[in-house]
Amino acid sequence: MADVVMQETKEKMNKAAEALQRELGQIRAGRANASILDRVMVNYYGAPTPVNQMASIGIPEARLLVITPFDKSTIKEIEKAIQTSDIGITPQTDGTVIRLVIPQLTEERRKELAKEVKKEAENSKIAIRNIRRDAIDSYKRQEKAGDITEDDLRSAEKDIQQLTDDAIKQLDAIAADKEKELLEV
C-alpha cells in the first residue's frame, strides 16, 4: 500500500513538471517554436481541430514557422484561426503555405515574459507541495489505521520530502532554461 502511494506521488510530480514544460512552451520567446500553435483550433467541417492535425509545421529559420496544410482547401480556415487566436502573429499566405514570422521581442517584453515564467513555475511548485501534503496525509491515515508503523511513517515522510525536493529542482531547471531563452538577444 505504501509503495502505491509513493509511486502515485512520483507520477503526479512528473506530470506537474510536464505541465509546466507545456505551459512554458506556449510563451513566445522571439524564436520559432511549433508549440505556440498548440492551442489554435480550426473549424474543420464543424469540428474544432488542432492545427498540428491538419498541417505539417516546419521551422526553416530561427524566427519562421511554415505551416503546410494537408488539404489545401483548408488554408483560409487555418489562416483565420491563427488571426483570431491570442498568439499575436499575423499569418502570411501564398495560397499553398502559411508563414508566421516571429517578431523580435523588446527588452521590456522579455522581462514581462520572464516574470510570467516565474509565476508559472511558482504555481507548479505549489502543486508539488500539495501533492506532498496529500501523500503525507495518506501515510498518516495508514499509520492511524495500524497499517504501517511510526518508523515507517517517518521514513515515508523523508522519502516524500526527497521526491518533492527533486521535483522542485526539476521545475527550477525548466524555468531557468525558459528564462535564459527569453532573455538572450
Side-chain angles (χ1 to χ4, degrees):
M1 180 70 179
D3 290 338
V4 173
V5 173
M6 192 67 71
Q7 191 59 40
E8 284 176 358
T9 301
K10 197 175 204 172
E11 285 174 21
K12 287 178 184 175
M13 288 184 180
N14 284 337
K15 285 182 182 169
E18 289 168 14
L20 177 65
Q21 190 85 47
R22 265 193 318 278
E23 203 57 44
L24 296 184
Q26 303 287 327
I27 296 175
R28 220 165 26 90
R31 201 179 279 158
N33 185 344
S35 64
I36 65 170
L37 296 172
D38 285 353
R39 292 187 187 158
V40 178
M41 298 299 231
V42 180
N43 188 6
Y44 186 56
Y45 293 110
T49 309
V51 171
N52 60 8
Q53 291 181 11
M54 298 179 62
S56 66
I57 301 168
I59 306 173
E61 296 173 26
R63 291 182 29 232
L64 180 68
L65 277 177
V66 176
I67 303 162
T68 310
F70 301 132
D71 177 1
K72 300 293 182 217
S73 66
T74 61
I75 201 158
K76 290 284 182 218
E77 290 296 322
I78 294 172
E79 188 178 12
K80 193 166 81 177
I82 292 169
Q83 284 174 335
T84 58
S85 72
D86 63 351
I87 63 172
I89 302 170
T90 305
Q92 302 163 350
T93 184
D94 63 7
T96 56
V97 297
I98 299 171
R99 288 180 183 78
L100 294 178
V101 179
I102 313 294
Q104 199 69 328
L105 296 174
T106 64
E107 189 63 29
E108 186 178 309
R109 183 70 179 135
R110 287 175 192 277
K111 288 179 180 167
E112 282 175 30
L113 291 173
K115 283 181 188 171
E116 200 175 308
V117 167
K118 283 185 171 86
K119 190 178 104 193
E120 288 297 333
E122 189 53 42
N123 289 342
S124 295
K125 288 178 185 178
I126 290 168
I128 294 287
R129 290 192 285 268
N130 287 339
I131 293 166
R132 174 190 62 192
R133 186 196 62 229
D134 292 345
I136 289 174
D137 288 349
S138 175
Y139 279 116
K140 285 180 179 174
R141 283 193 299 277
Q142 288 180 32
E143 193 250 347
K144 201 173 254 181
D147 295 339
I148 61 173
T149 66
E150 201 174 310
D151 288 342
D152 291 338
L153 173 64
R154 258 196 286 301
S155 174
E157 284 178 346
K158 201 171 108 185
D159 292 344
I160 294 288
Q161 186 58 48
Q162 184 59 51
L163 279 178
T164 303
D165 294 344
D166 292 346
I168 286 182
K169 276 184 200 152
Q170 184 182 7
L171 295 178
D172 286 340
I174 291 169
D177 287 347
K178 186 63 177 187
E179 274 186 65
K180 183 176 172 240
E181 180 185 332
L182 283 170
L183 296 174
E184 64 189 29
V185 179

PDB file of all heavy atoms in Angstrom, residues 117-129:
ATOM      1  N   VAL A 117       7.088  33.500 -16.538  1.00  0.00           N
ATOM      2  CA  VAL A 117       7.728  32.196 -16.358  1.00  0.00           C
ATOM      3  C   VAL A 117       7.876  31.901 -14.868  1.00  0.00           C
ATOM      4  O   VAL A 117       7.553  30.801 -14.399  1.00  0.00           O
ATOM      5  CB  VAL A 117       9.108  32.153 -17.063  1.00  0.00           C
ATOM      6  CG1 VAL A 117       9.912  30.945 -16.621  1.00  0.00           C
ATOM      7  CG2 VAL A 117       8.927  32.158 -18.566  1.00  0.00           C
ATOM      8  N   LYS A 118       8.333  32.910 -14.104  1.00  0.00           N
ATOM      9  CA  LYS A 118       8.493  32.727 -12.658  1.00  0.00           C
ATOM     10  C   LYS A 118       7.156  32.406 -11.993  1.00  0.00           C
ATOM     11  O   LYS A 118       7.073  31.564 -11.103  1.00  0.00           O
ATOM     12  CB  LYS A 118       9.094  33.993 -12.036  1.00  0.00           C
ATOM     13  CG  LYS A 118      10.579  34.149 -12.256  1.00  0.00           C
ATOM     14  CD  LYS A 118      11.107  35.353 -11.496  1.00  0.00           C
ATOM     15  CE  LYS A 118      12.596  35.426 -11.494  1.00  0.00           C
ATOM     16  NZ  LYS A 118      13.195  36.082 -12.625  1.00  0.00           N
ATOM     17  N   LYS A 119       6.089  33.101 -12.443  1.00  0.00           N
ATOM     18  CA  LYS A 119       4.760  32.882 -11.872  1.00  0.00           C
ATOM     19  C   LYS A 119       4.275  31.456 -12.163  1.00  0.00           C
ATOM     20  O   LYS A 119       3.774  30.772 -11.265  1.00  0.00           O
ATOM     21  CB  LYS A 119       3.778  33.912 -12.452  1.00  0.00           C
ATOM     22  CG  LYS A 119       2.434  33.935 -11.749  1.00  0.00           C
ATOM     23  CD  LYS A 119       1.528  34.991 -12.334  1.00  0.00           C
ATOM     24  CE  LYS A 119       0.536  34.260 -13.167  1.00  0.00           C
ATOM     25  NZ  LYS A 119      -0.265  34.984 -14.069  1.00  0.00           N
ATOM     26  N   GLU A 120       4.451  31.012 -13.402  1.00  0.00           N
ATOM     27  CA  GLU A 120       4.051  29.646 -13.764  1.00  0.00           C
ATOM     28  C   GLU A 120       4.844  28.617 -12.950  1.00  0.00           C
ATOM     29  O   GLU A 120       4.290  27.615 -12.496  1.00  0.00           O
ATOM     30  CB  GLU A 120       4.256  29.394 -15.258  1.00  0.00           C
ATOM     31  CG  GLU A 120       3.268  30.095 -16.153  1.00  0.00           C
ATOM     32  CD  GLU A 120       1.831  29.665 -15.951  1.00  0.00           C
ATOM     33  OE1 GLU A 120       1.585  28.515 -15.527  1.00  0.00           O
ATOM     34  OE2 GLU A 120       0.937  30.476 -16.204  1.00  0.00           O
ATOM     35  N   ALA A 121       6.141  28.870 -12.795  1.00  0.00           N
ATOM     36  CA  ALA A 121       6.981  27.952 -12.021  1.00  0.00           C
ATOM     37  C   ALA A 121       6.511  27.906 -10.566  1.00  0.00           C
ATOM     38  O   ALA A 121       6.446  26.834  -9.955  1.00  0.00           O
ATOM     39  CB  ALA A 121       8.443  28.371 -12.097  1.00  0.00           C
ATOM     40  N   GLU A 122       6.161  29.060 -10.013  1.00  0.00           N
ATOM     41  CA  GLU A 122       5.684  29.107  -8.622  1.00  0.00           C
ATOM     42  C   GLU A 122       4.369  28.340  -8.479  1.00  0.00           C
ATOM     43  O   GLU A 122       4.172  27.602  -7.509  1.00  0.00           O
ATOM     44  CB  GLU A 122       5.530  30.559  -8.164  1.00  0.00           C
ATOM     45  CG  GLU A 122       5.263  30.697  -6.678  1.00  0.00           C
ATOM     46  CD  GLU A 122       6.281  29.975  -5.781  1.00  0.00           C
ATOM     47  OE1 GLU A 122       7.486  30.034  -6.044  1.00  0.00           O
ATOM     48  OE2 GLU A 122       5.839  29.330  -4.806  1.00  0.00           O
ATOM     49  N   ASN A 123       3.478  28.481  -9.464  1.00  0.00           N
ATOM     50  CA  ASN A 123       2.209  27.730  -9.429  1.00  0.00           C
ATOM     51  C   ASN A 123       2.469  26.227  -9.458  1.00  0.00           C
ATOM     52  O   ASN A 123       1.802  25.457  -8.762  1.00  0.00           O
ATOM     53  CB  ASN A 123       1.308  28.125 -10.607  1.00  0.00           C
ATOM     54  CG  ASN A 123       0.741  29.518 -10.453  1.00  0.00           C
ATOM     55  OD1 ASN A 123       0.723  30.076  -9.362  1.00  0.00           O
ATOM     56  ND2 ASN A 123       0.289  30.093 -11.552  1.00  0.00           N
ATOM     57  N   SER A 124       3.454  25.815 -10.249  1.00  0.00           N
ATOM     58  CA  SER A 124       3.804  24.394 -10.308  1.00  0.00           C
ATOM     59  C   SER A 124       4.397  23.915  -8.992  1.00  0.00           C
ATOM     60  O   SER A 124       4.140  22.794  -8.554  1.00  0.00           O
ATOM     61  CB  SER A 124       4.780  24.132 -11.454  1.00  0.00           C
ATOM     62  OG  SER A 124       4.155  24.390 -12.683  1.00  0.00           O
ATOM     63  N   LYS A 125       5.193  24.773  -8.351  1.00  0.00           N
ATOM     64  CA  LYS A 125       5.768  24.402  -7.046  1.00  0.00           C
ATOM     65  C   LYS A 125       4.660  24.233  -6.003  1.00  0.00           C
ATOM     66  O   LYS A 125       4.728  23.326  -5.165  1.00  0.00           O
ATOM     67  CB  LYS A 125       6.767  25.468  -6.578  1.00  0.00           C
ATOM     68  CG  LYS A 125       8.055  25.464  -7.360  1.00  0.00           C
ATOM     69  CD  LYS A 125       8.964  26.567  -6.871  1.00  0.00           C
ATOM     70  CE  LYS A 125      10.209  26.679  -7.705  1.00  0.00           C
ATOM     71  NZ  LYS A 125      11.076  27.769  -7.280  1.00  0.00           N
ATOM     72  N   ILE A 126       3.656  25.089  -6.077  1.00  0.00           N
ATOM     73  CA  ILE A 126       2.515  24.964  -5.150  1.00  0.00           C
ATOM     74  C   ILE A 126       1.829  23.627  -5.387  1.00  0.00           C
ATOM     75  O   ILE A 126       1.479  22.922  -4.433  1.00  0.00           O
ATOM     76  CB  ILE A 126       1.542  26.151  -5.322  1.00  0.00           C
ATOM     77  CG1 ILE A 126       2.197  27.438  -4.797  1.00  0.00           C
ATOM     78  CG2 ILE A 126       0.217  25.883  -4.619  1.00  0.00           C
ATOM     79  CD1 ILE A 126       1.455  28.718  -5.168  1.00  0.00           C
ATOM     80  N   ALA A 127       1.661  23.261  -6.653  1.00  0.00           N
ATOM     81  CA  ALA A 127       1.037  21.973  -6.975  1.00  0.00           C
ATOM     82  C   ALA A 127       1.867  20.821  -6.403  1.00  0.00           C
ATOM     83  O   ALA A 127       1.312  19.873  -5.830  1.00  0.00           O
ATOM     84  CB  ALA A 127       0.885  21.821  -8.490  1.00  0.00           C
ATOM     85  N   ILE A 128       3.184  20.907  -6.526  1.00  0.00           N
ATOM     86  CA  ILE A 128       4.079  19.870  -5.991  1.00  0.00           C
ATOM     87  C   ILE A 128       3.921  19.763  -4.475  1.00  0.00           C
ATOM     88  O   ILE A 128       3.821  18.665  -3.916  1.00  0.00           O
ATOM     89  CB  ILE A 128       5.560  20.169  -6.357  1.00  0.00           C
ATOM     90  CG1 ILE A 128       5.791  20.067  -7.862  1.00  0.00           C
ATOM     91  CG2 ILE A 128       6.516  19.292  -5.575  1.00  0.00           C
ATOM     92  CD1 ILE A 128       5.793  18.680  -8.427  1.00  0.00           C
ATOM     93  N   ARG A 129       3.880  20.928  -3.813  1.00  0.00           N
ATOM     94  CA  ARG A 129       3.738  20.900  -2.347  1.00  0.00           C
ATOM     95  C   ARG A 129       2.380  20.326  -1.933  1.00  0.00           C
ATOM     96  O   ARG A 129       2.276  19.626  -0.919  1.00  0.00           O
ATOM     97  CB  ARG A 129       3.952  22.299  -1.774  1.00  0.00           C
ATOM     98  CG  ARG A 129       5.411  22.738  -1.879  1.00  0.00           C
ATOM     99  CD  ARG A 129       5.715  23.977  -1.083  1.00  0.00           C
ATOM    100  NE  ARG A 129       5.213  25.194  -1.687  1.00  0.00           N
ATOM    101  CZ  ARG A 129       5.886  25.970  -2.510  1.00  0.00           C
ATOM    102  NH1 ARG A 129       7.123  25.656  -2.839  1.00  0.00           N
ATOM    103  NH2 ARG A 129       5.352  27.070  -3.000  1.00  0.00           N
TER     104      ARG A 129
END
